[in-house]
Amino acid sequence: SRLRLEARNSMSISHPNIANTQDSGEEDGIGWIIMELVDGYPLTDYLRGGTRIEPEYLLPILVQVAMALGAAARAGVVHRDIKPGNIMLTSDGKVKVMDFGIARALTDSQATMTQTNAVVGTAQYLSPEQARGETVDERSDLYSTGVVLFELLTGRPPFKGDSAVAVAYQHVEQIPPTPSSILSDIPDSLDRVVLKALAKNRDDRYSSATAMLSDLQR
């Protein structure tokens, strides 16, 4: 069921910054899916050892991520697992957002495949509403994008803990530090983008990927 859902959701989106699903089907009871081949590396490769990406190189990457999320939102799809491992940088510098495997169509009446799977995503990048097992929308992906932006700017995530539960709790309860409090060369303008994306209340975040894109471009 999840494979069929992944294929349906990702095939509904066509965008140069999304690794597109090209075909899917089933044979002898075994599901298969054919995805675009991406020649590149996930952003996790650039974070090893606590390294960072300088803002002038990072902003074009985040702009393309926001473009991809905007296209997904227009197709009625929320990714729900935005993290460095799902963002590929190709050999010619383009961004490809990968793995809509746990994405859910906003119009899908089945909010979760089963109630026990209500919390999906990676703890380090979960929005507060995901950590609470609530419904998600485009703004949940923008929160996760804010976490990615924080980590790529500073070389460390905004919250750390001894367990996934401890990290998820911090996403729900604790105010993140400003990136510039960790590295002083980060400008105030980027602090404001990160903190707006990381607002606990989703009504205080960017209302859409397009709105976040506008600030990133500015």
Side-chain angles (χ1 to χ4, degrees), residues 62-210:
L62 266 293
V63 161
Q64 292 178 74
V65 172
M67 287 177 173
L69 293 179
R74 288 189 291 275
V77 173
V78 180
H79 189 289
R80 296 204 296 173
D81 196 22
I82 293 296
K83 59 185 179 182
N86 280 336
I87 301 169
M88 299 280 287
L89 196 59
T90 69
S91 53
D92 59 353
K94 291 189 176 68
V95 166
K96 292 282 187 178
V97 178
M98 312 280 290
D99 189 11
F100 278 78
I102 61 173
R104 184 176 78 230
L106 291 173
T107 54
D108 195 337
S109 60
Q110 291 183 329
T112 55
M113 299 298 288
T114 67
Q115 285 303 310
T116 55
N117 287 331
V119 178
V120 292
T122 306
Q124 193 67 71
Y125 307 93
L126 278 180
S127 67
E129 57 270 21
Q130 282 176 289
R132 291 190 295 261
E134 299 170 358
T135 57
V136 301
D137 60 24
E138 179 181 6
R139 294 168 295 177
S140 305
D141 281 347
L142 298 181
Y143 181 95
S144 301
T145 303
V147 178
V148 171
L149 177 54
F150 186 108
E151 186 174 12
L152 293 173
L153 278 172
T154 65
R156 52 150 283 186
F159 301 117
K160 295 181 179 180
D162 294 332
S163 67
V165 171
V167 173
Y169 175 82
Q170 292 177 72
H171 280 295
V172 173
E173 297 291 340
Q174 289 193 14
I175 302 300
T178 59
S180 64
S181 69
I182 297 167
L183 290 174
S184 59
D185 65 340
I186 295 171
D188 291 342
S189 56
L190 273 177
D191 275 347
R192 290 195 292 272
V193 171
V194 170
L195 293 182
K196 187 172 180 66
L198 294 183
K200 302 299 182 190
N201 185 335
R202 66 180 105 183
D203 290 336
D204 295 330
R205 292 177 211 151
Y206 290 102
S207 59
S208 66
T210 302

Side-chain angles (χ1 to χ4, degrees), residues 59 63 189 192-193 206 210-218:
L59 282 172
V63 161
S189 56
R192 290 195 292 272
V193 171
Y206 290 102
T210 302
M212 187 174 185
L213 173 64
S214 178
D215 270 6
L216 289 169
Q217 288 174 323
R218 188 179 303 114

Side-chain angles (χ1 to χ4, degrees), residues 8-15 18-21 68 71-73 75-77 100 103:
R8 187 188 74 196
N9 285 339
S10 55
M11 288 179 77
S12 71
I13 315 165
S14 179
H15 191 271
I18 292 175
N20 294 306
T21 296
V77 173
F100 278 78

Side-chain angles (χ1 to χ4, degrees), residues 3-4 24-33:
L3 181 72
R4 284 194 293 269
S24 69
E26 193 172 315
E27 188 171 345
D28 298 327
I30 298 173
W32 52 266
I33 187 168

